[in-house]
Amino acid sequence: MQTVSCPSCGAEVHFRSHASVLAVCEYCHSTILKDADSVKDVGKMSAVLEDYSPIQIGTAGVYDGRHFTVVGRIQQRYSAGTWNEWYVLFDDTSTAWLGDSSGLYTMTRERATQDALPAFGELAPGKRYTICGEPYTAAEIRNAECIAGQGELPFKVGAGWRIQVADFRNYASFVTLDYTDGPHPVVYQGVAVTLAGLQCQLLRDDDTIAKSAGKYRGKLDALDCPSCGSGIKYIPGAAAQLVCPACHAQLDASGPEAQVLAIAKQVHDNVDITLELGASAKINNADFTVIGMMRRADDEGSEWNEYLLYGARAGFFWLVETDDGWSRSNVLPNWPTWPSMDADRCALDGTTYAKLYDYGSQVVYAAGAFNWKVTVGDSTRVYEFEQGQTKLAAEITEEEMTWSRSVPVAYDQMSAWFGAAFHGVAAGRNIKLSHTQTARIFIAIVLVLNAIPMFVSFSSTLLWSVLGCLALFLPAVFLDKNAKNSP
């Protein structure tokens, strides 16, 4: 380790890795560039945003049987949010990058390859490419900028530094192509990881975060909407992309002051919300809070609600409310094998899932806090697959692709999780049935009541029973079609 004095304030600055050429003074945030025989101050680096990641400079762990220490960080912003790249130094002096985005982590190293790699402008989420001799699916295509740095880094970087990167996945394998320096990208290859799997030590705890930010990680805080003045509850650092529940203005609360990104142009009236923002639940001995809610519609006009839940120790997941009931959905770190977007099957962990359908979806209402930017009108192509009661869904936009897995949740389970905050069937709320569903119930009643007469005199009662069922069912279908097509 090499120790130098900061040219700006005189504080000690440590270079643990001989490969590091830049360090950020933790006292005055001066960017210090190291060459063969001297160091120089090349300007101030913006302080990192308090994003409440448990990782910090000095966090240690084990990967692939070798011990490592986190020695630096780049914080980057793209159109939908921010993420961290932590610079990792191993005991054998080799280095790697620990990606940190909304609770999903990857460990990657630079790797040489002879493959002919695609141009950045040719990439599209969902398409498959051969990289390092293996098939990968494009997951994210990002134009981003560096907004802050911390610790030591292997190259010169500063606030406003623009990057072009693309991420690819193959089950747990992960590749990043970095096109920042030109058309021939630098390749970083690795795998999806978890902090528990890395045996991480010296992670930040709630008390440490409280001292650095004055707020406990996971605690709901509030701010006044700069557009209309209404109070908005959110979780500082964990979810800073906000949609005001009152005026639906889109806000960015990642900085010291909330900024209005856009005034709402479209508001979906009469949205039936079952779980209110701020509702809390105890799930698997972990505390969760409903922080965001959006309503989506498919190509045929069917609509459903999605509620974003956050737990300080367990991260994010979704509760989805449809006419058929509730389900819990989690983003998958390990991706299924799906040969192409035309394939009618995919496989994950030895299980094959059959395609149900694909459709376009659009956000028609949003409110609360999210860990990425949500806007009314956002469009997504969804491909759903099913095996038993478990469903997988691939969602594709122009910039990214994600996979999620969902399982049904019973009404009594929802009631046990949320108690009085849940207004579903278990809490005494009536389910709104469609005309067709209501007709089916009445048809079942008619058939049961006529079961005995039909058994005694089948031929004389069959025709009237059929006509009665059609008289109930056909008008119901007509009414549901009119309701779906009406504005």
Side-chain angles (χ1 to χ4, degrees):
M1 181 173 67
Q2 182 182 7
T3 301
V4 301
S5 296
C6 173
S8 179
C9 71
E12 288 189 346
V13 178
H14 303 291
F15 286 88
R16 298 173 180 84
S17 170
H18 291 293
S20 298
V21 299
L22 180 146
V24 179
C25 176
E26 62 178 300
Y27 295 100
C28 70
H29 301 295
S30 292
T31 303
I32 301 167
L33 190 64
K34 180 184 70 171
D35 58 24
D37 54 5
S38 65
V39 294
K40 60 181 178 180
D41 183 353
V42 293
K44 299 289 185 181
M45 176 74 82
S46 298
V48 294
L49 297 176
E50 182 52 74
D51 62 1
Y52 290 69
S53 171
I55 303 172
Q56 62 181 337
I57 303 295
T59 291
V62 178
Y63 173 71
D64 199 21
R66 288 179 292 177
H67 292 269
F68 69 83
T69 303
V70 174
V71 297
R73 163 164 64 160
I74 299 174
Q75 195 170 60
Q76 308 191 93
R77 184 196 299 275
Y78 67 114
S79 60
T82 61
W83 85 96
N84 294 311
E85 294 288 348
W86 298 92
Y87 188 46
V88 168
L89 175 66
F90 288 88
D91 287 350
D92 62 1
T93 72
S94 63
T95 59
W97 290 93
L98 177 58
D100 171 9
S101 178
S102 297
L104 296 178
Y105 304 96
T106 57
M107 185 75 81
T108 59
R109 296 172 179 271
E110 185 175 344
R111 175 173 174 179
T113 179
Q114 300 300 317
D115 291 340
L117 300 174
F120 184 78
E122 298 174 356
L123 297 174
K127 290 189 176 181
R128 289 165 67 87
Y129 303 88
T130 298
I131 305 171
C132 300
E134 299 178 26
Y136 283 89
T137 301
E140 293 188 62
I141 318 298
R142 294 178 177 176
N143 285 282
E145 68 171 332
C146 172
I147 57 173
Q150 187 180 20
E152 59 187 273
L153 298 166
F155 45 73
K156 183 179 177 180
V157 63
W161 178 59
R162 304 292 303 181
I163 64 170
Q164 287 186 320
V165 293
D167 293 339
F168 303 80
R169 290 183 179 269
N170 176 3
Y171 188 61
S173 296
F174 186 89
V175 162
T176 293
L177 298 184
D178 188 341
Y179 293 82
T180 301
D181 293 331
H184 302 291
V186 179
V187 180
Y188 296 90
Q189 187 179 35
V191 295
V193 295
T194 63
L195 299 185
L198 294 174
Q199 304 174 44
C200 283
Q201 300 177 356
L202 301 178
L203 294 170
R204 298 202 302 166
D205 57 22
D206 289 346
D207 290 336
T208 302
I209 293 171
K211 292 175 182 177
S212 65
K215 305 182 182 75
Y216 281 95
R217 181 171 182 257
K219 178 183 176 183
L220 277 175
D221 210 331
L223 58 79
D224 292 334
C225 173
S227 180
C228 72
S230 299
I232 307 173
K233 289 185 177 181
Y234 77 114
I235 296 178
Q241 302 297 319
L242 313 180
V243 179
C244 176
C247 71
H248 299 278
Q250 186 180 341
L251 313 174
D252 182 359
S254 60
E257 296 182 0
Q259 297 181 347
V260 178
L261 299 179
I263 301 298
K265 296 181 179 179
Q266 179 182 357
V267 176
H268 194 73
D269 296 328
N270 303 319
V271 173
D272 194 5
I273 298 176
T274 303
L275 293 174
E276 298 293 338
L277 296 178
S280 59
K282 177 77 75 172
I283 303 174
N284 296 332
N285 294 320
D287 294 320
F288 285 90
T289 302
V290 177
I291 64 171
M293 176 270 174
M294 64 180 177
R295 189 167 181 84
R296 297 168 69 183
D298 64 18
D299 296 332
E300 297 182 353
S302 297
E303 297 187 358
W304 65 95
N305 292 341
E306 298 185 1
Y307 303 87
L308 180 61
L309 278 76
Y310 174 77
R313 295 301 177 190
F316 300 91
F317 77 89
W318 292 90
L319 283 174
V320 182
E321 178 188 19
T322 69
D323 290 339
D324 296 327
W326 291 84
S327 60
R328 173 175 177 167
S329 179
N330 291 83
V331 176
L332 287 172
N334 298 341
W335 278 27
T337 300
W338 188 28
S340 72
M341 285 185 281
D342 297 326
D344 60 2
R345 283 192 180 354
C346 70
L348 179 66
D349 295 329
T351 301
T352 299
Y353 295 77
K355 183 178 177 181
L356 283 173
Y357 29 68
D358 66 88
Y359 54 90
S361 77
Q362 188 176 71
V363 177
V364 296
Y365 175 92
F370 301 88
N371 54 334
W372 86 102
K373 188 169 68 175
V374 175
T375 305
V376 170
D378 285 348
S379 296
T380 306
R381 193 72 193 173
V382 182
Y383 298 80
E384 290 198 20
F385 301 81
E386 183 180 49
Q387 171 57 45
Q389 291 189 308
T390 302
K391 292 181 180 179
L392 302 182
E395 300 194 22
I396 304 175
T397 68
E398 292 183 356
E399 295 183 342
E400 68 176 325
M401 175 181 180
T402 60
W403 277 96
S404 61
R405 174 167 44 202
S406 62
V407 293
V409 178
Y411 282 94
D412 57 353
Q413 181 65 76
M414 291 290 297
S415 182
W417 283 349
F418 288 93
F422 177 62
H423 305 300
V425 168
R429 177 183 173 187
N430 294 324
I431 298 177
K432 291 187 176 180
L433 298 177
S434 66
H435 296 94
T436 305
Q437 291 171 320
T438 304
R440 286 172 179 167
I441 294 174
F442 277 101
I443 288 172
I445 294 173
V446 169
L447 293 176
V448 169
L449 293 176
N450 284 276
I452 296 177
M454 287 178 68
F455 180 76
V456 175
S457 180
F458 182 79
S459 60
S460 62
T461 58
L462 175 62
L463 177 61
W464 296 109
S465 296
V466 171
L467 290 176
C469 292
L470 291 175
L472 287 169
F473 190 72
L474 294 179
V477 172
F478 176 78
L479 289 172
D480 280 342
K481 286 185 176 179
N482 279 350
K484 184 178 291 187
N485 295 328
S486 62

